[in-house]
Amino acid sequence: MKVKKDDKNYRKSKIANEPLYIDFHSVLSAFDTYRYFLPRGNKLETNKYLRKKSNQLYNIINGRREPYKFKGYEHNRTPIVLDDAQLSIISKILNKKYIKGKIIEHKFFVVWGTSVFLETDKYKYSDAFAGSGETAVAILVNKLYLAKEGTLILLDEPEICLHPGAQKKLFEYLLNSCLQKKLQIIISTHSPELIKYLPNNAIKVFTELANGEIEVTNENNSGSAFYYLGADNENKKIIYVEDTLGKTVIEELASNISESILDQIEVIVHPGGAESIKRSIAISSQLKENNKFFILDGDKNKVYQDYKTLSLGENLKNRFEGIIQDATDMAMNKLFVANSNEDEQIKVDRYKDFLEYWTNNVSFFPKNIPEEFIWDDDVLKNLLDDETLANSIISNLDYKTRFAKTSEALTNTSRAEDIFHTQRIFLRRWLKQKNSDFEYIKSLITGIVS
């Protein structure tokens, strides 16, 4: 039976090119391999041997003699000259200007290894003086530069010996290589920099279980991936809410999804009332604080015109102001600091930034307030033996009043801490039910994290 490409059983044909595998643990220069890992005599003999063989290697790399042979066996391959394009890439990754470079495989230092010769506008040096990162990057760039289109590239911890800035530049180079040469690159890494900008479906976490089996977790972002490794998340998303119940809802629901999701957010109760939090949103939009998010109570969710539908014309500033006032239910002079000398176009640009921020970084709880969506008549009736009292409480249209009355019925007090304890009882039941409101807030959280 012929299998079509859209059939789930269809498999693409085998990769035509031989995969390229680079293990950066083993990418040691020939000099370092001999100096630190091979058995040898005393230090004086070692240095004498290195000087002798380094002179032979220097003559080969500079083309002063043919490939060296000993007892009929070659001791080196033909040197590879790095062209300007490769030198430019290496310079960008390492933030250093290289004007010449050569790579040679040889066994002048007992076993086969690789030496790199680099030249800047100030110095000439070999792998004996080059940093390990320089050697590794030069070898990687050369191999990828020469790789055929469509090659599968396997890289094992390419971040070794590279500082975070160089890791970021390396990632950019790998991404460009994928696009230009249609490469597929699989990276094994412990570096947040190398996965920070990858889509979730490109990040897989391999975890060893207690029974020795390996579990593969798909669809991770960089924060959740490194949560499994026990790393602190320095890139947490900040979520502001209006009150303690809203904060508890977010934290409990995030924990219900996974501990890694909870590790990626910090929920803060914003001080002040609704106007205060909206002014903070205006300030964050101007500062472009894209790691901050605001989840407001549902009663703040207003209907307003999509600002992207506005066409150029007269009174553009006034039309933007009208949309902002509809969205926020606030007067402009309370939301923004007035400046009569400000150019009208500057105001329009600021209003655009605000509305874009409001669209992307501001969300709303379902229902009017959190007390409303966690409320459950059945929970109340299970808590109270008095059906008449329960029905009396349910008859209150205000959900805050319902919780105050319930707390009073259970504890004989309606102090804030007792009301909150009562809310937690309802919240636990709500979390188990996983109704449509639960799923909606879950989507808000996962959207913020990813």
Side-chain angles (χ1 to χ4, degrees):
M1 180 179 71
K2 189 173 181 181
V3 180
K4 296 181 179 180
K5 287 188 176 184
D6 57 354
D7 193 295
K8 66 179 181 180
N9 296 314
Y10 173 78
R11 291 187 66 183
K12 292 183 179 180
S13 57
K14 184 179 178 181
I15 296 173
N17 299 332
E18 187 71 21
L20 173 61
Y21 171 63
I22 306 177
D23 177 5
F24 286 82
H25 294 278
S26 62
V27 180
L28 289 171
S29 69
F31 180 88
D32 285 346
T33 301
Y34 177 80
R35 182 101 186 181
Y36 301 110
F37 295 99
L38 294 181
R40 56 190 188 276
N42 61 48
K43 185 175 181 180
L44 183 62
E45 292 174 343
T46 298
N47 290 341
K48 184 178 179 181
Y49 178 84
L50 283 172
R51 279 194 293 269
K52 176 183 175 182
K53 294 301 180 179
S54 294
N55 286 331
Q56 293 175 345
L57 181 59
Y58 183 80
N59 289 332
I60 292 291
I61 201 75
N62 286 287
R64 296 180 182 176
R65 57 161 296 160
E66 295 298 316
Y68 183 82
K69 288 187 178 182
F70 181 72
K71 294 183 179 180
Y73 294 99
E74 285 191 353
H75 269 49
N76 67 275
R77 313 274 190 246
T78 303
I80 299 170
V81 179
L82 301 174
D83 61 21
D84 289 342
Q86 295 176 74
L87 291 169
S88 175
I89 295 167
I90 297 169
S91 298
K92 185 175 181 180
I93 294 172
L94 297 175
N95 195 29
K96 196 173 183 179
K97 179 62 177 177
Y98 297 95
I99 57 177
K100 289 184 181 180
K102 293 181 181 180
I103 299 174
I104 183 171
E105 293 182 13
H106 64 89
K107 60 175 300 185
F108 286 106
F109 303 145
V110 183
V111 298
W112 280 98
T114 305
S115 285
V116 174
F117 290 77
L118 298 168
E119 182 177 341
T120 69
D121 56 350
K122 296 180 180 178
Y123 305 106
K124 296 181 182 179
Y125 52 95
S126 71
D127 48 306
F129 296 96
S132 299
E134 285 182 298
T135 300
V137 168
I139 292 172
L140 169 65
V141 169
N142 177 252
K143 287 184 179 293
L144 262 64
Y145 190 77
L146 299 177
K148 296 179 180 178
E149 185 175 291
T151 297
L152 171 63
I153 311 293
L154 307 173
L155 304 179
D156 191 358
E157 299 196 36
E159 71 270 14
I160 290 177
C161 299
L162 294 179
H163 59 76
Q167 292 177 31
K168 182 179 179 181
K169 295 295 184 182
L170 175 62
F171 171 81
E172 293 172 357
Y173 167 61
L174 295 175
L175 182 60
N176 287 331
S177 296
C178 287
L179 296 173
Q180 294 170 5
K181 303 183 74 172
K182 297 181 174 62
L183 303 176
Q184 181 179 6
I185 300 180
I186 298 175
I187 303 173
S188 169
T189 182
H190 292 94
S191 168
E193 287 296 331
L194 290 184
I195 68 170
K196 185 184 295 183
Y197 305 103
L198 289 176
N200 292 358
N201 60 4
I203 303 175
K204 302 180 185 295
V205 178
F206 291 73
T207 308
E208 184 176 358
L209 303 178
N211 61 5
E213 294 182 353
I214 301 298
E215 179 183 61
V216 181
T217 306
N218 297 306
E219 293 285 342
N220 301 275
N221 59 49
S222 59
S224 63
F226 282 91
Y227 169 82
Y228 291 109
L229 299 178
D232 291 332
N233 186 358
E234 298 178 355
N235 300 306
K236 288 188 176 184
K237 303 295 193 300
I238 309 300
I239 300 177
Y240 289 97
V241 294
E242 294 186 50
D243 54 39
T244 303
L245 179 58
K247 169 182 166 70
T248 307
V249 167
I250 296 295
E251 291 176 338
E252 293 285 347
L253 200 153
S255 178
N256 190 281
I257 302 170
S258 76
E259 287 297 323
S260 67
I261 294 292
L262 181 60
D263 181 64
Q264 294 174 73
I265 62 174
E266 181 179 354
V267 188
I268 299 174
V269 177
H270 194 283
E275 289 192 357
S276 175
I277 197 170
K278 289 173 185 177
R279 280 195 293 270
S280 291
I281 294 170
I283 293 170
S284 292
S285 72
Q286 293 176 56
L287 297 176
K288 301 189 184 304
E289 294 177 324
N290 294 320
N291 68 319
K292 291 185 177 181
F293 296 83
F294 301 79
I295 300 182
L296 308 182
D297 291 351
D299 59 0
K300 312 296 188 305
N301 193 5
K302 306 298 180 181
V303 177
Y304 59 94
Q305 180 184 352
D306 182 356
Y307 72 97
K308 294 179 182 178
T309 63
L310 287 180
S311 57
L312 297 176
E314 293 183 0
N315 299 320
L316 187 60
K317 178 181 75 68
N318 293 339
R319 284 183 285 161
F320 266 110
E321 288 178 348
I323 293 175
I324 292 173
Q325 289 180 131
D326 288 342
T328 63
D329 197 28
M330 279 184 68
M332 295 299 291
N333 62 351
K334 291 186 177 181
L335 198 60
F336 298 98
V337 177
N339 184 351
S340 58
N341 296 322
E342 192 171 49
D343 181 82
E344 183 167 313
Q345 184 58 48
I346 293 176
K347 287 185 177 180
V348 169
D349 291 340
R350 185 167 74 246
Y351 296 161
K352 283 182 181 178
D353 289 342
F354 174 82
L355 287 169
E356 182 178 2
Y357 193 85
W358 184 271
T359 302
N360 296 330
N361 292 63
V362 180
S363 304
F364 301 89
F365 281 121
K367 308 292 194 296
N368 287 316
I369 54 176
E371 286 88 347
E372 182 176 355
F373 62 75
I374 68 168
W375 179 266
D376 189 319
D377 291 350
D378 291 335
V379 173
L380 175 66
K381 292 175 181 179
N382 287 334
L383 289 173
L384 301 180
D385 294 330
D386 189 335
E387 185 175 350
T388 301
L389 177 58
N391 289 331
S392 173
I393 292 173
I394 293 170
S395 68
N396 285 282
L397 298 179
D398 182 83
Y399 286 88
K400 289 183 181 292
T401 302
R402 288 190 188 187
F403 276 107
K405 294 289 186 182
T406 303
S407 173
E408 189 173 351
L410 292 173
T411 65
N412 294 320
T413 68
S414 55
R415 295 177 304 176
E417 57 265 34
D418 295 314
I419 293 173
F420 181 64
H421 176 73
T422 303
Q423 292 170 341
R424 292 292 296 267
I425 297 172
F426 282 73
L427 178 58
R428 283 195 291 270
R429 172 65 181 272
W430 179 80
L431 288 168
K432 290 180 180 178
Q433 289 178 330
K434 297 186 178 180
N435 59 22
S436 59
D437 290 336
F438 175 99
E439 295 298 332
Y440 171 75
I441 300 173
K442 177 182 175 180
S443 69
L444 292 183
I445 297 171
T446 54
I448 287 170
V449 168
S450 61

